[in-house]
Amino acid sequence: GARETFESYYRKQRRKQARLVLQPPSNMHETLDGYRKYFNQIVGFFVVEDHILHTTQGLVNRAYIDELWEMALSKTIAALRTHSSYCSDPSLVLDLKNLIVLFADTLQGYGFPVNQLFDMLLEIQDQYSETLLKKWAGVFRNILDSDNYSPIPVSNEEVYKKIVGQFPFQDAELEKQPFPKKFPFSEFVPKVYSQIKEFIYACLKFSEDLHLSSTEVDDMIRKSTNLLLTRTLSNCLQNVIKRKNVGLTELVQIIINTTHLEKSCKFLEEFITNITNVLPETVHTTKLYGTTTFKDARHAAEEEIYTNLNQKIDQFLQLADYDWMALEPGSRASDYLVDLIGFLRSTFAISWLVLLVALTSVRLSLQGKVAQTACMSACKHLSTSLLQLLLEAEVRQLTLGALHQFNLDVEECEQFARSGPVPGFQGDTLQLAFIDLRQV
């Protein structure tokens, strides 16, 4: 006979119980079990309420349940936002997403609106993408650190097919060559390419069961892949290029590698298209602009080559010890300069050999131009530095003997320029680097 009192008491007590159920444990983010228990409590609570709604007369009504669910939804989403932000393991984030989908689908089956949960999953998707990028930063670092920066040797058909299976590379000339032979790129090219594909698969896993259109999935994958290329891989490449112990041959190899990776981006575009079935020409399709990553890395490697060469030249020049008051010149060019020119000859000989291997397959004069620019840059730097030695403020007097000795050194430089240390220069282009020095 106290129906109204009981109904009021029941609802009041259940609201209190709901608040307890909706309070997540402080360490919930540490394991999947923490999340699972939390969701099970909430599902259990609302399954009971739904059962009571359908089996009793007026004890609860739809308005009361909707109000409770609205409160539960806002508290659940707030708790998930907080706890998921602590997670740094992409596997756990993926498992959490699957659990949330199961949770949402279950409650939707009981008639509860769950659109907000699916909207929140798109936020967690960003979190997942960030954890993936951090994981792949470590993967790329390991690949680049363990690389030997030498063209991959292949001893037989089986090894050749394995590499071509990992990385889209075709070269009729190289195929005709007998074994053993070499690919122009080093091992980090097929490894990095394979890992980019693995990343794309990992992105795709999150989009499953989210009721997204194929265009939305395609857009999500392309945006994440662009971030992987322009941010994660780009940083890893720049760090390798800027290392102090990276030599010229390694830098040349990086230029060759990034050229091949840049060319492979069109195959990554096709790979994504095959997965999502969204054609690249679709109006809103995001393009893979990650190719800029490889261009930027190549330019950074080129700059580093020029800088390294100039630093080496400066080290030799520190040994220069001209006696500006000498009465007689020596019989030959200064020892330090002979050593410097010897260093330049061997450097360009080795670098050019590396480039020649690459040029058989790159089909671009790009690498040849790098070698030419590096050689021209080195000659100009040497010429300017020698001119500065001659025109230093401390040099207040000099004899004809000292000038003759200096002239022998300039002739050594001109002889180097005439010898064609790098093929491809027209006429006396390289000698023009020393024209101002000769004039003075």
Side-chain angles (χ1 to χ4, degrees):
R3 184 180 182 88
E4 282 184 22
T5 308
F6 179 67
E7 281 176 9
S8 171
Y9 169 78
Y10 176 85
R11 293 181 188 187
K12 190 177 176 183
Q13 290 303 314
R14 288 297 275 166
R15 277 194 182 92
K16 284 183 181 176
Q17 287 167 15
R19 285 193 174 90
L20 282 174
V21 162
L22 292 165
Q23 192 65 41
S26 58
N27 63 342
M28 183 170 80
H29 59 273
E30 290 175 6
T31 63
L32 196 63
D33 270 347
Y35 288 108
R36 191 179 283 114
K37 283 174 187 170
Y38 180 61
F39 288 141
N40 287 351
Q41 286 175 184
I42 299 168
V43 169
F45 181 93
F46 282 97
V47 166
V48 167
E49 290 306 286
D50 181 76
H51 183 71
I52 287 169
L53 174 70
H54 289 97
T55 56
T56 65
Q57 290 295 318
L59 184 57
V60 298
N61 57 27
R62 177 51 68 184
Y64 153 80
I65 287 186
D66 286 348
E67 182 202 329
L68 261 186
W69 173 243
E70 209 169 298
M71 175 193 74
L73 199 56
S74 65
K75 285 187 177 295
T76 304
I77 286 172
L80 288 172
R81 274 196 185 120
T82 303
H83 284 268
S84 67
S85 66
Y86 296 133
C87 187
S88 57
D89 177 9
S91 300
L92 184 55
V93 180
L94 190 63
D95 288 340
L96 171 60
K97 167 245 155 181
N98 291 330
L99 210 52
I100 294 171
V101 169
L102 201 60
F103 173 67
D105 286 349
T106 303
L107 285 163
Q108 194 172 31
Y110 283 91
F112 294 100
V114 293
N115 286 348
Q116 283 177 269
L117 280 168
F118 280 103
D119 291 343
M120 190 214 53
L121 276 171
L122 296 179
E123 293 175 31
I124 292 183
Q125 180 187 316
D126 293 337
Q127 164 77 5
Y128 177 67
S129 184
E130 283 300 316
T131 59
L132 282 184
L133 290 171
K134 281 179 188 167
K135 179 182 174 181
W136 257 263
V139 169
F140 287 144
R141 272 197 302 272
N142 289 339
I143 289 172
L144 296 175
D145 288 348
S146 61
D147 199 66
N148 62 5
Y149 295 92
S150 301
I152 303 173
V154 269
S155 53
N156 56 51
E157 189 71 29
E158 190 183 340
V159 177
Y160 187 89
K161 282 182 177 172
K162 185 186 172 189
I163 304 282
V164 174
Q166 285 179 311
F167 182 72
F169 176 80
Q170 281 183 317
D171 182 75
E173 293 296 318
L174 190 63
E175 281 179 30
K176 286 177 196 169
Q177 287 177 24
F179 291 102
K181 50 190 172 185
K182 288 180 180 179
F183 282 101
F185 43 80
S186 70
E187 283 188 357
F188 94 56
V189 169
K191 283 181 179 176
V192 163
Y193 184 81
S194 297
Q195 282 303 323
I196 295 171
K197 285 168 75 174
E198 288 298 319
F199 176 87
I200 291 168
Y201 279 130
C203 288
L204 183 68
K205 279 182 185 173
F206 196 92
S207 66
E208 290 168 0
D209 305 319
L210 287 190
H211 315 308
L212 297 172
S213 69
S214 53
T215 310
E216 287 172 313
V217 173
D218 185 86
D219 190 56
M220 180 266 288
I221 289 175
R222 285 171 187 273
K223 281 178 178 170
S224 296
T225 307
N226 274 331
L227 274 177
L228 179 78
L229 296 174
T230 58
R231 198 171 82 190
T232 308
L233 180 56
S234 178
N235 286 343
C236 293
L237 285 169
Q238 296 291 342
N239 288 339
V240 168
I241 289 163
K242 297 292 177 189
R243 273 187 204 150
K244 286 183 181 176
N245 60 342
V246 173
L248 290 173
T249 49
E250 285 97 334
L251 288 167
V252 170
Q253 190 63 59
I254 288 170
I255 291 170
I256 294 162
N257 288 357
T258 48
T259 303
H260 284 283
L261 282 169
E262 184 188 341
K263 289 177 75 182
S264 74
C265 278
K266 66 178 181 182
F267 295 101
L268 289 174
E269 291 260 14
E270 287 172 15
F271 179 68
I272 295 171
T273 300
N274 290 337
I275 287 175
T276 62
N277 291 320
V278 177
L279 296 173
E281 51 271 19
T282 307
V283 183
H284 299 295
T285 304
T286 306
K287 297 295 176 203
L288 273 191
Y289 51 82
T291 48
T292 55
T293 293
F294 304 119
K295 280 193 177 80
D296 293 345
R298 193 161 60 244
H299 292 151
E302 288 168 20
E303 287 302 320
E304 202 62 24
I305 285 174
Y306 311 147
T307 304
N308 278 8
L309 268 175
N310 290 350
Q311 285 172 349
K312 274 286 185 187
I313 289 169
D314 290 342
Q315 286 172 16
F316 279 104
L317 286 164
Q318 283 171 6
L319 303 173
D321 187 22
Y322 288 103
D323 176 5
W324 298 113
M325 300 306 292
L327 296 175
E328 292 292 330
S331 57
R332 60 180 218 134
S334 305
D335 288 345
Y336 87 90
L337 196 88
V338 172
D339 291 343
L340 195 163
I341 296 296
F343 160 75
L344 290 177
R345 280 189 198 285
S346 63
T347 295
F348 287 115
I350 294 166
S351 300
W352 186 249
L353 279 173
V354 175
L355 291 168
L356 279 178
V357 172
L359 282 167
T360 59
S361 56
V362 173
R363 301 275 174 258
L364 292 171
S365 59
L366 175 73
Q367 275 77 15
K369 284 178 183 170
V370 172
Q372 288 164 18
T373 309
C375 191
M376 177 58 85
S377 167
C379 287
K380 281 182 177 174
H381 184 71
L382 176 55
S383 177
T384 307
S385 301
L386 286 171
L387 192 56
Q388 283 171 349
L389 284 177
L390 191 63
L391 302 178
E392 270 181 359
E394 295 87 59
V395 183
R396 294 168 182 272
Q397 275 184 302
L398 44 84
T399 62
L400 208 54
L403 262 181
H404 276 301
Q405 179 59 50
F406 196 80
N407 182 55
L408 286 172
D409 291 353
V410 175
E411 283 177 355
E412 185 77 13
C413 296
E414 290 168 331
Q415 173 56 34
F416 169 72
R418 275 195 299 275
S419 69
V422 172
F425 283 110
Q426 292 184 342
D428 55 359
T429 307
L430 196 55
Q431 289 161 253
L432 293 175
F434 297 101
I435 194 101
D436 289 347
L437 179 62
R438 164 58 58 208
Q439 195 65 37
V440 173

